Every structure is written in structure tokens, then in C-alpha cells.
Amino acid sequence: MGNILVVEDEDSIREFIVINLKREGFGVIEAATGEEALARLRVNPVDLIILDIMLPGIDGYEVCKRVQEERPGTAIIMLTAKGQDTDKVIGLELGADDYVVKPFNPVELTARVKAVLRRLNRKQRDQKIQIKDVTIDTEKRRVTANGKPLDLTNKEYELFLLLIETGGGVVTREEILNKLWGTNFYGDTKTIDVHIRRLREKLGDDPSCPRYIATVWGVGYRFVMEEDDV
Ligand code: CA
């Protein structure tokens, strides 16, 4: 069914949420502050967090950010105050899955919880990308090629995923820069060549006869889909 962490400093609201979730059969863990929430998250399996924004100490936004870093894949529903539309926007930009506006009724809240968990289950079912002898577990961010696990940095991982997701099409250096470093990055496209070189070394790929990453001269790179299409 799912384990839910409820983070709310107002006791009456927290208890109200907890009672309703328990009634629906969910496992519930409680926290009154952001710090407490992060501590509980480290020792308890949690599928979804109901997270109030206004908290003493670190606020809901900060908790949301840290959850993305420490426990990516955990769903988050933000609790926002009525009339604070910017809260919703910031929350969703920070990676929250949904929001519920206070005051809310328990039927609405549990309906949102169930909808988010359904989406999460669907996402987890296709978390593995398998192409040629490469397997990518997008939830754990683990890559194996030719039966060997690769120890990739974040950027190398994102770069490889981008090439694979493009399905053998050419990815230009500019696209790679924009997607991996953002449009405000003033670096050189040579940065990409360096990352490609390291990625190839880890893959054991020979650029003159590539099995995984082919250079498209003057344009960028592409993933080699078939053994003989280079
Ligand atoms: Ca509060």
C-alpha cells in the first residue's frame, strides 16, 4: 500500500492527516520539523512525503531539495497555504509531485496520495533501459555494459543516458552543453570531448572502431545502435 511520512508542525493538522491515512490502510510516520523528517527518512522506508512548507527550522522547500539529493524517487506532496500560488510553482519546480491547498478535506488528500503512488509505481516498472549489451537502471543510476558495472560520474551518466535516449540519432555538442550544464554555462564545447573521452575509456570503447559512442565529425556524437552501422 505504501509508507507515508507526514511532516507538519501543527499537531492538530498532522494528527488529522495521520488518522485519515491510517484509516485508508497506509503505514504512517510523523515528523514535526524538517530536521526530524530527514532523520526519519534515513532509517525508514518511505514511498511518499506529505510536506508542509512553513516549518520551524529548515522549511519544506529545503526538505524537498535534500530529499531529491538523498532519496531520489521518493514522492512528495506539498501542503500550501490558500492564496500562496507561488508556493505551488516553487514546490513543483523543486521536484514535488503534487500539492494540496490548506484547508483541505481528507477525501481530497487521500485521492491525491493514491494518484501520486499510482504514477510512481508505473514509473518504477520501466526504470530499466536495456539496449544492446547496455543496461541502465534510471532509479539507482547504475549502468552496466557488456556485463560489467561502470563507475560513472554524474555528468558521464547523464551524457551516456542522453545519447542512449536519443536512440542512435546525433546529439550535437550544443545540445549536450544545454542539457547537462544549462544555457548559462559559458564553458567550451571541449568540455564535452573530455567527458566523452573518459566515458569511452570506462566503456573500453575504441573511437576508431566504436561499439558504443561514434563521433559525428564537426557535429557531435551518437550512440551506435547496431554492431555494423559505423
Ligand atoms: Ca506549518
Side-chain angles (χ1 to χ4, degrees):
M1 187 87 197
N3 282 324
I4 300 175
L5 171 62
V6 180
V7 191
E8 165 66 80
D9 57 313
E10 283 165 69
D11 295 342
S12 59
I13 300 177
R14 192 179 63 249
E15 278 158 22
F16 172 75
I17 297 170
V18 169
I19 286 167
N20 281 288
L21 290 174
K22 282 187 176 166
R23 192 178 289 151
E24 292 284 328
F26 290 106
V28 186
I29 303 157
E30 299 176 47
T33 65
E35 287 84 351
E36 196 187 335
L38 292 169
R40 294 210 179 279
L41 203 56
R42 285 178 197 123
V43 290
N44 295 288
V46 169
D47 302 294
L48 184 144
I49 305 171
I50 295 175
L51 180 59
D52 188 33
I53 292 174
M54 297 291 284
L55 294 167
I58 61 169
D59 66 8
Y61 295 139
E62 187 56 34
V63 175
C64 187
K65 271 192 251 173
R66 294 197 196 171
V67 170
Q68 310 288 320
E69 287 163 16
E70 292 179 25
R71 289 280 185 279
T74 311
I76 297 174
I77 296 180
M78 294 284 224
L79 293 182
T80 69
K82 202 176 174 185
Q84 301 290 308
D85 285 346
T86 50
D87 287 352
K88 299 172 199 168
V89 177
I90 296 171
L92 294 176
E93 276 179 359
L94 286 176
D97 296 87
D98 203 354
Y99 58 85
V100 172
V101 181
K102 287 182 186 178
F104 50 85
N105 70 52
V107 179
E108 186 197 353
L109 183 71
T110 51
R112 296 282 184 107
V113 166
K114 286 177 187 170
V116 168
L117 287 176
R118 261 199 308 275
R119 284 209 302 269
L120 190 73
N121 286 334
R122 218 165 27 230
K123 219 160 69 188
Q124 278 172 350
R125 270 204 301 276
D126 38 60
Q127 69 190 12
K128 283 228 166 83
I129 298 172
Q130 175 82 54
I131 195 161
K132 282 172 53 170
D133 61 13
V134 176
T135 309
I136 301 186
D137 182 332
T138 54
E139 200 205 16
K140 299 199 178 87
R141 294 169 76 93
R142 271 191 209 135
V143 182
T144 46
N146 205 7
K148 277 188 297 190
L150 301 183
D151 186 18
L152 303 182
T153 64
N154 264 335
K155 290 289 184 221
E156 287 161 358
Y157 169 83
E158 284 168 28
L159 178 55
F160 197 39
L161 189 62
L162 176 62
L163 289 169
I164 282 183
E165 282 179 336
T166 314
V170 181
V171 186
T172 66
R173 286 191 175 77
E174 287 70 27
E175 272 175 72
I176 296 171
L177 265 193
N178 287 342
K179 292 224 167 95
L180 268 67
W181 281 272
T183 42
N184 293 322
F185 181 75
Y186 294 107
D188 197 288
T189 53
K190 288 221 172 52
T191 309
I192 294 161
D193 302 334
V194 172
H195 280 80
I196 289 278
R197 200 180 66 225
R198 287 197 199 126
L199 193 51
R200 275 175 167 156
E201 280 166 12
K202 290 183 181 178
L203 285 161
D205 210 8
D206 175 4
S208 63
C209 180
R211 215 170 117 68
Y212 300 106
I213 301 169
T215 305
V216 182
W217 293 107
V219 185
Y221 299 94
R222 66 182 180 83
F223 183 74
V224 181
M225 291 297 279
E226 301 298 332
E227 301 298 334
D228 57 356
D229 72 346
V230 190

